[in-house]
Amino acid sequence: MQLDKISRNILSILQQDARITNQNLADRVGLSPSSCLNRVRKLEQAGLIGPYLGVVDLAALCRTVTVIATVSLKDQSTDAFRAFQQTAEAIPEVVECYTVSGSFDIFLRIIAPDMSRYNKINDRLLDVLPGMVNISSHVVLNTGKPFRGYPLDELLDS
């Protein structure tokens, strides 16, 4: 789908405020409310936006431990990767899972209520392929820049 400047602007605004009213969004991008709503619906139908999520302030809500885990698999087969990823997907506390290139194979972001629960998650991941998984855990001490949307102008102009 080709995006003109208005559609790109709509995407940028919705990244920052998904609860903006259609009227305010239309005003900000210079469209009538009906034209703006039609564009948003087309962007949704094309799969370019959605689902809409709320950002929860976990520190205000409860105590948590965030762990960045890098995983190396000794078995580089497709079946081994699939088995590990299926297990990671089944663990609710694993909130992100990426297969990556470089010195390790998989990158995980895990949010657990405490280290005891993290240790259980770690053990479960190690047991997927006994003796074939190496996990290096990095406890997050501070979040310097939380994710707040993609830099669309920079990405789409290159």
Side-chain angles (χ1 to χ4, degrees), residues 82-101:
R82 186 177 301 119
F84 188 89
Q85 289 178 325
Q86 286 175 342
T87 300
E89 288 174 14
I91 301 170
E93 293 92 343
V94 176
V95 297
E96 289 180 286
C97 177
Y98 300 95
T99 300
V100 297
S101 62

Side-chain angles (χ1 to χ4, degrees), residues 1-155:
M1 178 177 185
Q2 286 289 74
L3 296 178
D4 63 11
K5 186 175 180 172
I6 293 173
S7 291
R8 289 169 52 175
N9 199 10
I10 288 170
L11 289 173
S12 291
I13 292 167
L14 287 174
Q15 274 194 120
Q16 299 305 309
D17 184 5
R19 293 189 59 172
I20 190 171
T21 65
N22 184 60
Q23 179 66 55
N24 287 342
L25 181 59
D27 291 344
R28 287 185 58 186
V29 299
L31 291 175
S32 69
S34 62
S35 293
C36 184
L37 186 58
N38 284 336
R39 281 190 186 241
V40 170
R41 286 186 177 148
K42 285 180 184 174
L43 292 168
E44 289 170 340
Q45 289 168 355
L48 295 177
I49 53 174
Y52 297 96
L53 305 171
V55 177
V56 175
D57 183 354
L58 279 178
L61 186 62
C62 59
R63 292 183 57 160
T64 61
V65 174
T66 300
V67 178
I68 304 299
T70 57
V71 180
S72 297
L73 302 179
K74 291 180 185 170
D75 180 350
Q76 295 287 300
S77 70
T78 302
D79 289 341
F81 274 85
R82 186 177 301 119
F84 188 89
Q85 289 178 325
Q86 286 175 342
T87 300
E89 288 174 14
I91 301 170
E93 293 92 343
V94 176
V95 297
E96 289 180 286
C97 177
Y98 300 95
T99 300
V100 297
S101 62
S103 59
F104 55 89
D105 301 309
I106 297 170
F107 174 95
L108 303 172
R109 185 163 67 101
I110 301 164
I111 312 290
D114 52 42
M115 285 306 293
S116 175
R117 175 65 184 141
Y118 173 71
N119 285 333
K120 290 176 184 165
I121 293 166
N122 191 66
D123 289 345
R124 183 171 171 193
L125 292 169
L126 289 170
D127 288 343
V128 174
L129 301 163
M132 303 296 281
V133 178
N134 180 37
I135 299 175
S136 180
S137 302
H138 311 274
V139 176
V140 175
L141 302 176
N142 182 33
T143 303
K145 183 179 180 181
F147 179 76
R148 292 289 189 253
Y150 299 104
L152 293 180
D153 288 337
E154 289 78 6
L155 295 172

